[in-house]
Amino acid sequence: MKSIGCIVAGMLAGSAPMAAQCSMCRTAAAAQDALAAQALDAGIVVLLVPAVALFTGVFLLAFRSDAASRRSR
C-alpha cells in the first residue's frame, strides 16, 4: 500500500504545471489576466480533490471487500 502512495506522490511531484482542464475553462482563462487564470486553475484543482477522494474511497472499499471475501474462502 505504501508503494502505491509513493508512485502517486512521484507522479504528482514530477508532473508539469497544468493548464485549464476543459475547452470552456481554457477560453475563460484566456479572456482574463494571468492572476485570474491562475485562480481559475486553482479552483479546478480544488474541485477535483473531493471527486478523486470519493473515487479512491470507493475503489479501496471494493478492493478490501474483495480481499476479505478471498480470505474467507
Side-chain angles (χ1 to χ4, degrees), residues 20-33:
Q21 303 296 317
C22 67
S23 60
M24 282 180 31
C25 295
R26 189 174 298 118
T27 303
Q32 300 173 359
D33 62 346

Side-chain angles (χ1 to χ4, degrees), residues 2-72:
K2 287 183 181 180
S3 62
I4 293 173
C6 290
I7 290 170
V8 171
M11 289 172 62
L12 290 174
S15 64
M18 291 188 259
Q21 303 296 317
C22 67
S23 60
M24 282 180 31
C25 295
R26 189 174 298 118
T27 303
Q32 300 173 359
D33 62 346
L35 186 60
Q38 287 177 348
L40 182 63
D41 285 342
I44 291 169
V45 172
V46 167
L47 290 173
L48 182 67
V49 169
V52 170
L54 284 171
F55 175 78
T56 304
V58 169
F59 179 77
L60 287 175
L61 182 66
F63 182 76
R64 288 182 181 175
S65 175
D66 183 52
S69 68
R70 288 182 187 207
R71 280 188 294 230
S72 66

